[in-house]
Coordinates of all heavy atoms in Angstrom, one line a residue:
V1 N 0.8 -1.2 0.0 CA 0.0 0.0 0.0 C 0.9 1.2 0.0 O 0.6 2.2 -0.7 CB -0.9 0.0 1.2 CG1 -1.6 1.4 1.4 CG2 -2.0 -1.1 1.1
V2 N 1.9 1.2 0.8 CA 2.8 2.4 0.9 C 3.4 2.7 -0.5 O 3.5 3.8 -0.9 CB 3.9 2.2 2.0 CG1 4.9 3.3 1.9 CG2 3.3 2.1 3.4
L3 N 3.8 1.6 -1.2 CA 4.4 1.8 -2.5 C 3.4 2.3 -3.5 O 3.6 3.3 -4.2 CB 5.0 0.5 -3.0 CG 5.6 0.5 -4.4 CD1 6.8 1.4 -4.5 CD2 6.0 -0.9 -4.8
M4 N 2.2 1.8 -3.5 CA 1.2 2.1 -4.5 C 0.5 3.5 -4.2 O 0.1 4.2 -5.2 CB 0.1 1.0 -4.6 CG 0.7 -0.3 -5.1 SD -0.6 -1.5 -5.4 CE -1.4 -0.9 -6.9
F5 N 0.4 3.9 -3.0 CA -0.2 5.1 -2.6 C 0.8 6.1 -2.0 O 0.4 7.0 -1.3 CB -1.3 4.9 -1.6 CG -2.5 4.1 -2.2 CD1 -2.5 2.8 -2.2 CD2 -3.6 4.9 -2.7 CE1 -3.6 2.1 -2.8 CE2 -4.7 4.2 -3.2 CZ -4.7 2.8 -3.3
W6 N 2.0 6.0 -2.4 CA 3.1 6.8 -1.8 C 2.8 8.3 -2.0 O 2.9 9.1 -1.1 CB 4.4 6.5 -2.4 CG 5.6 7.4 -1.9 CD1 6.2 8.4 -2.6 CD2 6.2 7.3 -0.6 NE1 7.1 9.0 -1.8 CE2 7.2 8.3 -0.6 CE3 6.0 6.5 0.5 CZ2 7.9 8.5 0.5 CZ3 6.8 6.7 1.6 CH2 7.7 7.7 1.6
K7 N 2.4 8.7 -3.2 CA 2.2 10.2 -3.5 C 1.1 10.7 -2.6 O 1.1 11.9 -2.1 CB 1.8 10.4 -4.9 CG 3.0 10.2 -5.9 CD 2.6 10.5 -7.3 CE 3.8 10.3 -8.2 NZ 3.4 10.7 -9.6
R8 N 0.0 9.9 -2.3 CA -1.0 10.4 -1.4 C -0.7 10.3 0.0 O -1.0 11.2 0.8 CB -2.3 9.6 -1.7 CG -3.5 10.0 -0.8 CD -4.7 9.2 -1.1 NE -5.3 9.6 -2.4 CZ -6.2 10.6 -2.6 NH1 -6.5 11.3 -1.5 NH2 -6.7 10.8 -3.7
L9 N 0.1 9.3 0.4 CA 0.5 9.2 1.8 C 1.6 10.1 2.3 O 1.6 10.6 3.4 CB 0.9 7.7 2.1 CG -0.2 6.7 2.1 CD1 0.4 5.3 2.1 CD2 -1.1 6.8 3.3
W10 N 2.6 10.4 1.4 CA 3.7 11.2 1.8 C 3.2 12.7 1.9 O 2.8 13.2 0.9 CB 4.8 11.1 0.8 CG 6.1 11.8 1.1 CD1 6.5 12.9 0.3 CD2 7.0 11.6 2.1 NE1 7.7 13.4 0.9 CE2 8.0 12.6 2.0 CE3 7.0 10.7 3.2 CZ2 9.0 12.7 2.9 CZ3 8.1 10.8 4.1 CH2 9.1 11.8 4.0
P11 N 3.3 13.3 3.0 CA 2.7 14.6 3.2 C 3.6 15.8 2.8 O 3.1 16.9 2.9 CB 2.5 14.6 4.8 CG 3.6 13.8 5.3 CD 3.8 12.7 4.3
F12 N 4.8 15.5 2.4 CA 5.8 16.6 2.2 C 6.1 16.8 0.7 O 6.1 15.9 -0.1 CB 7.1 16.4 2.9 CG 6.9 16.2 4.4 CD1 7.1 14.9 4.9 CD2 6.5 17.2 5.3 CE1 6.9 14.7 6.3 CE2 6.4 17.0 6.6 CZ 6.6 15.7 7.1
D13 N 6.3 18.1 0.3 CA 6.7 18.4 -1.0 C 8.1 19.1 -0.9 O 8.2 20.3 -0.7 CB 5.7 19.4 -1.7 CG 6.1 19.6 -3.2 OD1 7.2 19.1 -3.6 OD2 5.3 20.3 -3.8
L14 N 9.1 18.2 -1.0 CA 10.5 18.7 -0.7 C 11.0 19.6 -1.9 O 12.1 20.2 -1.7 CB 11.4 17.5 -0.5 CG 11.0 16.6 0.7 CD1 12.0 15.5 0.8 CD2 11.0 17.4 2.0
R15 N 10.3 19.6 -3.0 CA 10.8 20.4 -4.1 C 10.3 21.8 -4.0 O 10.8 22.7 -4.7 CB 10.3 19.8 -5.4 CG 10.8 18.4 -5.7 CD 10.0 17.8 -6.9 NE 8.6 17.7 -6.6 CZ 7.7 17.2 -7.5 NH1 8.1 16.9 -8.7 NH2 6.4 17.2 -7.2
K16 N 9.4 22.1 -3.1 CA 8.8 23.4 -3.0 C 9.7 24.3 -2.3 O 10.3 24.0 -1.3 CB 7.5 23.3 -2.2 CG 6.7 24.6 -2.2 CD 5.3 24.3 -1.6 CE 4.5 25.6 -1.6 NZ 3.1 25.4 -1.0
K17 N 9.9 25.5 -2.9 CA 10.8 26.5 -2.3 C 10.0 27.7 -1.7 O 9.2 28.3 -2.4 CB 11.8 27.0 -3.3 CG 12.7 26.0 -3.9 CD 13.7 26.5 -4.9 CE 14.6 25.5 -5.5 NZ 15.5 26.0 -6.5
G18 N 10.2 27.9 -0.4 CA 9.4 29.0 0.2 C 8.1 28.5 0.6 O 7.5 27.6 0.0
G19 N 7.6 29.0 1.7 CA 6.2 28.6 2.2 C 6.3 27.2 2.9 O 7.3 26.7 3.2
S20 N 5.1 26.6 3.0 CA 5.0 25.4 3.7 C 5.4 24.2 2.8 O 5.2 24.2 1.6 CB 3.5 25.1 4.1 OG 3.3 23.8 4.6
L21 N 6.1 23.3 3.4 CA 6.6 22.1 2.7 C 5.5 21.0 2.8 O 5.7 19.9 2.2 CB 7.9 21.5 3.3 CG 9.1 22.4 3.2 CD1 10.3 21.8 3.9 CD2 9.4 22.6 1.7
I22 N 4.4 21.2 3.5 CA 3.3 20.3 3.6 C 2.4 20.4 2.4 O 1.9 21.5 2.1 CB 2.5 20.5 4.9 CG1 3.4 20.5 6.1 CG2 1.4 19.4 5.0 CD1 4.1 19.2 6.4
K23 N 2.1 19.3 1.8 CA 1.3 19.3 0.6 C -0.2 19.6 1.0 O -0.6 19.3 2.1 CB 1.3 17.9 -0.1 CG 2.6 17.6 -0.8 CD 2.6 16.4 -1.7 CE 2.3 15.1 -0.9 NZ 2.4 13.9 -1.7
K24 N -0.8 20.3 0.1 CA -2.2 20.7 0.3 C -3.1 19.4 0.5 O -3.0 18.5 -0.3 CB -2.8 21.5 -0.9 CG -4.2 21.9 -0.7 CD -4.7 22.7 -1.9 CE -6.1 23.2 -1.8 NZ -6.6 23.9 -2.9
G25 N -3.9 19.4 1.6 CA -4.7 18.3 1.9 C -4.1 17.2 2.7 O -4.8 16.3 3.1
A26 N -2.8 17.2 2.9 CA -2.1 16.1 3.6 C -2.5 16.1 5.1 O -2.7 15.0 5.6 CB -0.6 16.3 3.4
V27 N -2.5 17.3 5.7 CA -2.9 17.3 7.1 C -4.3 16.9 7.4 O -4.5 16.0 8.3 CB -2.6 18.7 7.7 CG1 -3.1 18.8 9.1 CG2 -1.1 19.1 7.7
P28 N -5.3 17.4 6.7 CA -6.7 16.8 6.9 C -6.8 15.3 6.7 O -7.4 14.6 7.4 CB -7.5 17.6 5.9 CG -6.7 18.9 5.6 CD -5.3 18.5 5.7
L29 N -6.1 14.8 5.6 CA -6.2 13.4 5.3 C -5.6 12.6 6.4 O -6.3 11.6 6.9 CB -5.5 13.1 4.0 CG -5.4 11.6 3.7 CD1 -6.8 11.0 3.5 CD2 -4.5 11.4 2.4
W30 N -4.4 12.9 6.9 CA -3.8 12.2 8.0 C -4.5 12.3 9.3 O -4.6 11.4 10.1 CB -2.3 12.5 8.1 CG -1.4 11.7 7.2 CD1 -0.8 12.1 6.1 CD2 -1.1 10.3 7.4 NE1 -0.1 11.1 5.5 CE2 -0.2 10.0 6.4 CE3 -1.4 9.4 8.4 CZ2 0.3 8.7 6.2 CZ3 -0.9 8.1 8.3 CH2 -0.1 7.8 7.2
S31 N -5.1 13.5 9.5 CA -5.9 13.7 10.7 C -7.1 12.8 10.7 O -7.4 12.2 11.8 CB -6.3 15.2 10.8 OG -5.2 16.0 10.9
K32 N -7.8 12.6 9.6 CA -8.9 11.7 9.5 C -8.5 10.3 9.7 O -9.2 9.5 10.3 CB -9.7 12.0 8.2 CG -10.3 13.3 8.1 CD -10.7 13.6 6.6 CE -11.1 15.1 6.5 NZ -11.4 15.4 5.0
I33 N -7.4 9.9 9.1 CA -6.9 8.5 9.2 C -6.6 8.2 10.7 O -7.0 7.2 11.2 CB -5.6 8.3 8.4 CG1 -6.0 8.3 6.9 CG2 -4.9 7.0 8.8 CD1 -4.8 8.3 6.0
L34 N -6.0 9.2 11.4 CA -5.7 9.0 12.8 C -6.9 8.9 13.6 O -7.0 8.1 14.6 CB -4.7 10.1 13.3 CG -3.3 10.1 12.7 CD1 -2.5 11.2 13.2 CD2 -2.6 8.7 13.0
V35 N -7.9 9.7 13.3 CA -9.2 9.7 14.0 C -9.8 8.3 13.9 O -10.4 7.7 14.8 CB -10.2 10.8 13.5 CG1 -11.6 10.5 14.0 CG2 -9.7 12.1 14.0
S36 N -9.8 7.7 12.7 CA -10.3 6.4 12.4 C -9.5 5.3 13.1 O -10.1 4.3 13.5 CB -10.3 6.1 10.9 OG -11.2 7.0 10.2
C37 N -8.3 5.5 13.4 CA -7.4 4.5 14.0 C -7.6 4.4 15.6 O -7.4 3.4 16.2 CB -5.9 4.8 13.8 SG -5.4 4.5 12.1
V38 N -8.0 5.5 16.2 CA -8.0 5.6 17.6 C -8.9 4.5 18.3 O -8.4 3.8 19.2 CB -8.5 7.0 18.1 CG1 -8.8 7.0 19.6 CG2 -7.4 8.0 17.8
P39 N -10.1 4.2 17.9 CA -10.9 3.2 18.6 C -10.3 1.8 18.6 O -10.2 1.2 19.6 CB -12.3 3.2 17.9 CG -12.3 4.6 17.3 CD -10.9 4.9 16.9

């Protein structure tokens, strides 16, 4: 899964210069995944 969905799972854009290195939508996605994992 990590291999096939790497672009969606990896939250950083290391090529971006200036501003946030976090890809758009990455924080909400991972936040929802973690919410689902808690129970």
Side-chain angles (χ1 to χ4, degrees):
V1 171
V2 173
L3 178 63
M4 295 187 71
F5 289 87
W6 177 255
K7 289 184 178 180
R8 182 178 284 275
L9 288 168
W10 182 246
F12 305 108
D13 186 356
L14 301 180
R15 298 170 299 177
K16 190 173 181 179
K17 297 180 180 179
S20 175
L21 293 177
I22 306 295
K23 290 191 294 189
K24 183 180 179 181
V27 172
L29 174 62
W30 271 105
S31 298
K32 293 167 190 174
I33 289 173
L34 294 177
V35 166
S36 296
C37 286
V38 169

